[in-house]
Amino acid sequence: MLSFPETRFDLCGDEYIYAEISKEMRIESNFKAISITNELRSRDIPGIIEIYPANVSYLIRYNPNIISPHDLRDYLQEIDRLKSRSSEIVFESRIIDIPVLYDSISEELREQYNKFHQDPSISNFEFVMRANGYTDKETFIEAHSSSPYFITSLGFKPGLGWGFPIGVEREKIIQAEKYKSPRTSTIKEAVGVGGAFTVIYPTQSTGSYQLIGIAAVPVYDPTQSLDIFKDSFFLAQPGDLWKYRPVDEVEFNRIREEVKQGTYQYKVKSTQFIVEEYERKPKEYIANLMEGFYP
């Protein structure tokens, strides 16, 4: 049975309440944050303006002229107690295929980025591979792409989803320290690892995560030219499961052309994420969710 420390609630100015479920990153705390914020949206409480789930916390913006902060905090505490039971934590999820060309950052970009890096003599890919005890490229790619990544929250840049490896033993989670100083630029759709998180940069931007490849598909589309973006500019939604799939250069270029033509169809499977079942046998539960996703 999942257990949580008592959630800390803080009033922030006149319009915000911040709820901290735990101080350190625990995927279980994120399950609770997503479940609570989904529940709040479904109840459509008068006075709540915006709801922001984060990795182990959430933030509520409210109108104090409609609901008092003390009444709202009492309401949040009631929902928080309910969602402290794993049997009550269930939410809709999507498994999404993300094709990636690993170890594909060009030599020109490597030279541009290396002045900010801990070890300019090797690529980011090699840096992460060595930091995690791998000596073989294909074995490392298999380790990084074998299990899906749970989207815990969105942030830093519009459309950037934080992906945490799920169904993986803690000692096998691929991790990497960030650049010693942030890059002034990062190419669009670069795949980066920082700490235990993997992200895809939605647009060209600054950044400090170690770059291990490039996604063939966009994760942010303000033109909404692809079907999956018809309801949102952002691909990522908290609670999604992203499965990184290694592709070669031929398939990468084919997918990129389909994206350019507006004909690419993302591979997506809608499912329910049942925390009580995940809690019992994490690896087996994730394998069951993934069953049939790929032919």
Side-chain angles (χ1 to χ4, degrees), residues 87-137:
S87 59
E88 296 292 334
I89 306 180
V90 178
F91 44 83
E92 299 302 313
S93 181
R94 301 176 303 168
I95 302 170
I96 303 179
D97 172 65
I98 307 290
V100 173
L101 184 62
Y102 282 89
D103 194 18
S104 53
I105 304 300
S106 70
E107 186 66 32
E108 180 183 356
L109 286 174
R110 277 181 55 186
E111 291 178 2
Q112 179 183 332
Y113 298 155
N114 273 356
K115 59 184 176 181
F116 304 104
H117 198 262
Q118 294 92 327
D119 188 347
S121 68
I122 59 176
S123 68
N124 287 194
F125 182 91
E126 292 172 300
F127 181 82
V128 179
M129 187 173 71
R130 293 182 187 181
N132 288 275
Y134 291 93
T135 56
D136 176 71
K137 173 179 175 177

Side-chain angles (χ1 to χ4, degrees), residues 30-240:
N30 186 252
F31 295 159
K32 182 176 178 180
I34 289 174
S35 186
I36 288 173
T37 52
N38 286 348
E39 179 73 16
L40 287 169
R41 291 190 187 94
S42 71
R43 295 193 185 191
D44 196 20
I45 301 165
I48 289 184
I49 300 171
E50 292 179 279
I51 301 169
Y52 310 91
N55 287 331
V56 293
S57 61
Y58 56 94
L59 183 69
I60 307 297
R61 184 185 178 196
Y62 63 95
N63 183 340
N65 295 318
I66 297 175
I67 186 170
S68 79
H70 304 293
D71 287 346
L72 179 55
R73 184 168 56 186
D74 289 345
Y75 199 90
L76 293 175
Q77 287 173 331
E78 175 195 334
I79 298 175
D80 187 271
R81 286 191 292 269
L82 176 67
K83 297 299 182 180
S84 289
R85 299 193 296 269
S86 56
S87 59
E88 296 292 334
I89 306 180
V90 178
F91 44 83
E92 299 302 313
S93 181
R94 301 176 303 168
I95 302 170
I96 303 179
D97 172 65
I98 307 290
V100 173
L101 184 62
Y102 282 89
D103 194 18
S104 53
I105 304 300
S106 70
E107 186 66 32
E108 180 183 356
L109 286 174
R110 277 181 55 186
E111 291 178 2
Q112 179 183 332
Y113 298 155
N114 273 356
K115 59 184 176 181
F116 304 104
H117 198 262
Q118 294 92 327
D119 188 347
S121 68
I122 59 176
S123 68
N124 287 194
F125 182 91
E126 292 172 300
F127 181 82
V128 179
M129 187 173 71
R130 293 182 187 181
N132 288 275
Y134 291 93
T135 56
D136 176 71
K137 173 179 175 177
E138 296 307 319
T139 304
F140 171 74
I141 292 174
E142 169 63 22
H144 183 267
S145 63
S146 59
S147 296
Y149 288 72
F150 189 90
I151 301 300
T152 58
S153 64
L154 277 68
F156 175 64
K157 294 287 291 183
L160 187 146
W162 301 88
F164 191 84
I166 195 166
V168 180
E169 295 90 342
R170 181 174 290 273
E171 63 274 11
K172 293 183 179 180
I173 291 176
I174 289 173
Q175 303 187 55
E177 60 178 300
K178 298 189 291 184
Y179 272 44
K180 64 180 182 180
S181 179
R183 298 177 298 273
T184 55
S185 177
T186 305
I187 59 169
K188 178 182 176 181
E189 282 132 24
V191 179
V193 177
F197 288 93
T198 292
V199 305
I200 297 177
Y201 287 82
T203 57
Q204 184 171 334
S205 70
T206 57
S208 59
Y209 277 24
Q210 305 289 341
L211 306 181
I212 62 171
I214 303 174
V217 296
V219 297
Y220 171 63
D221 182 9
T223 67
Q224 297 178 297
S225 57
L226 297 172
D227 288 347
I228 202 167
F229 293 100
K230 65 181 179 180
D231 295 322
S232 173
F233 296 161
F234 310 140
L235 179 65
Q237 296 177 13
D240 282 348

